[in-house]
Amino acid sequence: MVKAPHASAFLGSLSAFEAYDVTPHIGTRFPSTATQLSAILKDDEKVKDLAHLVSQRGVVFFTNQDLEIQDQKELGYKLGKLSWSGHPETSGLHVHPISEDLPELGRDVGIITSKGGIAAPEKHNFRSRASKDWHSDVTFEPIPSDYAILKMHTLPEVGGDTLWASAYEAYDRLSPAFQKFLEGLTAYHNGGQFNVYAKTHNLPIQQNRGSPVNSGDDLSATHPIIRTNPVTGYRGLFVNKAFTKRIVELSPDESDNVLQYLFRHISENHDLQVRYRWEQNDIAIWDNRSTFHTATKDYGNVLRSGNRIASLGERPFFDPNSKSRREVLNIQD
Ligand SMILES: [Fe+2]
């Protein structure tokens, strides 16, 4: 039996900081408030190692951070650029299509709040399945997000946890025959819920959304279903319930059934997920290429709010020579 390696294998220049894995397959936490991203930001080698750690572990948590919004933006710029040599020059910070709804911090800050805006395009119905909101950020863009940084400043006393799931582990746990079947396929992603929200709130769809390619009112893109993460080289499953509408090469019935299976594969395997209970000013940084996430709307009519930076990465690709995470790390249990 070979287990997943501990986070210490991926810390590099961050190894002086206390860190532990929250689960074997996803999530690493820096529990000490002595570990501050505002200090890590000043050292490019540490920022690069942080990007690599996030890409390996899917999501990384930092406790009670003093990082200001301008520095959060700078960290967003740096993570992608320092993480690998192929990061496109034209990829900046994402501007959400409906960011004008809550514009106080600038077009490139996504305000995550229970009041409305980008995280609440539909009214919450407590009788609908919570698992319907699993997603990766902005996969309806031709150039979607690589890293996201979320700082939560206003929280309910209890509730409002966020869950993440590993796309590497979701891929690795499919049978080889099913993996092979999915490898050549592409899927159509659409963020039409934001068109509806914009229309009903009389907002324009923002243009030039962090990349010259991400423009126009049509919020849709076609991406490979199996995606290679360029930082780790690992393969991951790249479909999500919120934005992936159909598999292009299949009939509508086939597509619906395969997507339903894959969405359940992500939401029903809690051993490839991590759940985080926020404290004020905690920060989570995740790799949108290789994880999914969803918030938990169990806290009633109170305010829950934070600021998210989503940097843009590369056009999603599948490298047939890339390997699975389990294969590279020799994880067999
Ligand atoms: Fe999100």
Side-chain angles (χ1 to χ4, degrees):
M1 191 166 88
V2 182
K3 289 185 188 271
H6 182 264
S8 57
F10 310 112
L11 286 172
S13 61
L14 301 172
S15 60
F17 301 117
E18 181 191 355
Y20 67 88
D21 289 337
V22 189
T23 80
H25 295 297
I26 180 169
T28 291
R29 182 170 182 226
F30 290 89
S32 171
T33 55
T35 308
Q36 288 291 331
L37 286 162
S38 53
I40 289 171
L41 177 62
K42 295 183 180 127
D43 182 338
D44 279 2
E45 192 194 349
K46 286 195 172 71
V47 174
K48 180 182 172 183
D49 288 348
L50 173 61
H52 288 189
L53 177 70
V54 172
S55 291
Q56 285 286 350
R57 298 291 306 157
V59 56
V60 175
F61 306 106
F62 291 86
T63 309
N64 195 11
Q65 296 292 296
D66 61 13
L67 195 70
E68 301 284 349
I69 191 68
Q70 282 307 329
D71 285 345
Q72 192 179 341
K73 291 186 189 187
E74 194 185 337
L75 184 61
Y77 268 112
K78 281 189 168 181
L79 279 174
K81 292 195 191 309
L82 296 173
S83 62
W84 70 295
S85 59
H87 182 273
E89 280 293 316
T90 49
S91 287
L93 301 183
H94 186 245
V95 172
H96 199 277
I98 59 165
S99 54
E100 194 173 298
D101 198 27
L102 294 159
E104 52 260 44
L105 297 174
R107 283 187 355 131
D108 49 7
V109 177
I111 298 185
I112 305 297
T113 171
S114 47
K115 279 191 298 193
I118 69 172
E122 297 165 41
K123 196 166 164 32
H124 179 58
N125 177 352
F126 73 90
R127 287 199 174 87
S128 69
R129 274 191 193 145
S131 61
K132 72 178 171 31
D133 291 331
W134 276 100
H135 67 283
S136 333
D137 292 324
V138 304
T139 64
F140 52 82
E141 300 282 22
I143 307 288
S145 167
D146 51 6
Y147 297 102
I149 309 167
L150 175 59
K151 180 173 181 177
M152 294 302 292
H153 56 73
T154 305
L155 291 159
E157 200 176 317
V158 62
D161 298 356
T162 303
L163 287 80
W164 285 261
S166 168
Y168 300 142
E169 184 65 7
Y171 169 80
D172 285 357
R173 288 174 54 170
L174 299 170
S175 67
F178 199 33
Q179 289 173 340
K180 194 95 201 131
F181 167 69
L182 295 173
E183 272 164 28
L185 303 181
T186 58
Y188 173 77
H189 297 235
N190 182 278
Q193 56 267 54
F194 298 118
N195 291 105
V196 172
Y197 189 93
K199 207 165 181 182
T200 53
H201 291 73
N202 204 19
L203 296 165
I205 293 292
Q206 296 291 304
Q207 306 297 314
N208 302 313
R209 298 182 293 270
S211 161
V213 183
N214 296 349
S215 215
D217 287 0
D218 176 24
L219 306 176
S220 64
T222 299
H223 299 304
I225 289 184
I226 306 303
R227 180 178 186 181
T228 302
N229 185 307
V231 177
T232 58
Y234 305 154
R235 297 173 176 203
L237 181 62
F238 193 62
V239 292
N240 69 82
K241 192 158 187 171
F243 300 126
T244 310
K245 305 302 177 189
R246 63 181 154 82
I247 298 175
V248 175
E249 296 82 1
L250 302 186
S251 72
D253 287 347
E254 290 168 344
S255 169
D256 286 350
N257 279 278
V258 173
L259 284 177
Q260 281 307 320
Y261 177 81
L262 294 174
F263 297 155
R264 288 179 60 183
H265 181 66
I266 293 160
S267 65
E268 292 185 1
N269 282 303
H270 69 277
D271 50 357
L272 53 78
Q273 300 171 5
V274 62
R275 178 173 181 143
Y276 192 68
R277 182 172 178 171
W278 298 94
E279 297 285 345
Q280 190 180 29
N281 294 324
D282 285 355
I283 287 182
I285 306 178
W286 63 93
D287 188 326
N288 266 315
R289 295 168 291 208
S290 305
T291 58
F292 315 95
H293 60 277
T294 187
T296 310
K297 293 174 183 165
D298 58 353
Y299 48 87
N301 193 25
V302 296
L303 187 61
R304 174 186 183 272
S305 191
N307 299 323
R308 186 197 73 189
I309 296 297
S311 61
L312 298 179
E314 72 289 351
R315 192 180 286 277
F317 66 92
F318 169 64
D319 174 0
N321 295 315
S322 59
K323 293 194 164 82
S324 95
R325 169 177 167 271
R326 279 179 172 262
E327 191 182 349
V328 173
L329 300 181
N330 193 27
I331 304 167
Q332 289 161 15
D333 65 329

